[in-house]
Amino acid sequence: MKKKIVIDLPVNNDKCRSKAMQIAVRSPGVISVNIDKEKGHLVVIGIGVDFFRLMHCIRRKFKCSRIVSIEEVKQEEKKPEPSKPKNPCTCPSTCNPCVQYYPICQPVYDTYDNSNCSIM
């Protein structure tokens, strides 16, 4: 089951954000990592992610980080589109299919007598 883990991560510069993303990506089962700069959240999505271990690794570097929410991501069910009826052929009934003709290659036999040839 996919889980979405939102972590409050109060960092000010891009270097710290990049470091937090690198730590999160190393965790097993992580599919995607995203940072919301406006809210200061690190969003981790994955299958079977151990949030306790993830937070332990992040707190080593960022002491004041905390979990905001953990929720299951529901997969969107794709509804099959109703099949549209195929349009019948719009060409007139007297239409003949196009036929492409290929030239026929036949071997050419030389009737010239080669016995007097001095080259061979």
Side-chain angles (χ1 to χ4, degrees), residues 49-119:
V49 179
D50 185 7
F51 68 91
F52 185 77
R53 175 174 255 181
L54 175 66
M55 282 306 296
H56 178 71
C57 293
I58 289 177
R59 281 194 179 146
R60 283 183 189 168
K61 182 74 177 174
F62 306 100
K63 302 293 183 194
C64 54
S65 60
R66 63 182 182 89
I67 294 179
V68 175
S69 67
I70 299 174
E71 56 189 43
E72 290 185 13
V73 178
K74 296 180 181 176
Q75 296 178 356
E76 297 176 8
E77 294 181 16
K78 295 181 181 178
K79 296 180 180 178
E81 295 181 15
S83 60
K84 297 178 182 177
K86 295 183 179 180
N87 294 335
C89 181
T90 58
C91 60
S93 62
T94 60
C95 179
N96 294 329
C98 297
V99 177
Q100 186 172 3
Y101 295 101
Y102 296 100
I104 299 173
C105 297
Q106 295 179 351
V108 176
Y109 297 105
D110 191 14
T111 58
Y112 181 73
D113 186 20
N114 291 338
S115 62
N116 296 334
C117 184
S118 62
I119 297 173

Side-chain angles (χ1 to χ4, degrees), residues 1 3 5 27-31 44-52 54:
M1 195 56 81
K3 289 185 181 180
I5 304 167
S27 295
V30 173
I31 296 173
V44 179
I45 298 175
I47 298 173
V49 179
D50 185 7
F51 68 91
F52 185 77
L54 175 66

Side-chain angles (χ1 to χ4, degrees), residues 8-65:
D8 184 29
L9 196 66
V11 292
N12 297 331
N13 56 12
D14 289 334
K15 185 177 178 183
C16 292
R17 289 184 188 108
S18 175
K19 186 65 178 176
M21 288 180 77
Q22 287 176 358
I23 293 170
V25 168
R26 282 188 230 143
S27 295
V30 173
I31 296 173
S32 70
V33 178
N34 192 7
I35 289 187
D36 186 6
K37 290 182 181 180
E38 296 173 2
K39 296 179 182 178
H41 290 166
L42 177 72
V43 180
V44 179
I45 298 175
I47 298 173
V49 179
D50 185 7
F51 68 91
F52 185 77
R53 175 174 255 181
L54 175 66
M55 282 306 296
H56 178 71
C57 293
I58 289 177
R59 281 194 179 146
R60 283 183 189 168
K61 182 74 177 174
F62 306 100
K63 302 293 183 194
C64 54
S65 60

